[in-house]
Amino acid sequence: SSLQSDVFWHTTAIGNAKSSTLMGLTLAATQPWLIPALPIAAVAAVGAPYLVLHQSKKKCEEATSELTDKFWAQAEPYVFVEAIENWSGLTKL
């Protein structure tokens, strides 16, 4: 599901940010010559899950739009009338 993948990728990015911070502090203390590479690694570790999340949301929106269009394309005219009446509050439930 979309919500499940959203939660997974978001928590992965947050976890990677925490791990990158810890890794950065450790490497800065033990290997100071690697300090210039730390921001690049941190951006990749945090940015990659957000990139996948963005692509996932885009595909989900496309699929939703396609399924909605297919549903309304096959619907009978009385379905349109019923939906409009219910959405507008013209009928009593």
Side-chain angles (χ1 to χ4, degrees):
S1 83
S2 177
L3 178 62
Q4 189 175 17
S5 67
D6 290 353
V7 169
F8 173 77
W9 289 114
H10 190 72
T11 54
T12 299
I14 291 172
N16 286 354
K18 290 169 56 178
S19 297
S20 295
T21 302
L22 181 61
M23 179 184 70
L25 294 173
T26 303
L27 281 178
T30 60
Q31 305 290 331
W33 56 275
L34 288 176
I35 290 175
L38 293 177
I40 297 168
V43 167
V46 175
Y50 278 117
L51 179 64
V52 174
L53 175 64
H54 176 71
Q55 292 172 344
S56 172
K57 282 187 174 188
K58 186 176 177 182
K59 284 185 180 184
C60 183
E61 289 171 1
E62 290 171 0
T64 300
S65 179
E66 181 181 345
L67 288 171
T68 300
D69 291 343
K70 285 182 179 181
F71 170 79
W72 287 111
Q74 61 86 32
E76 297 293 328
Y78 75 90
V79 175
F80 285 100
V81 173
E82 190 73 27
I84 291 169
E85 287 176 348
N86 283 325
W87 294 335
S88 67
L90 294 175
T91 59
K92 296 177 183 175
L93 298 176

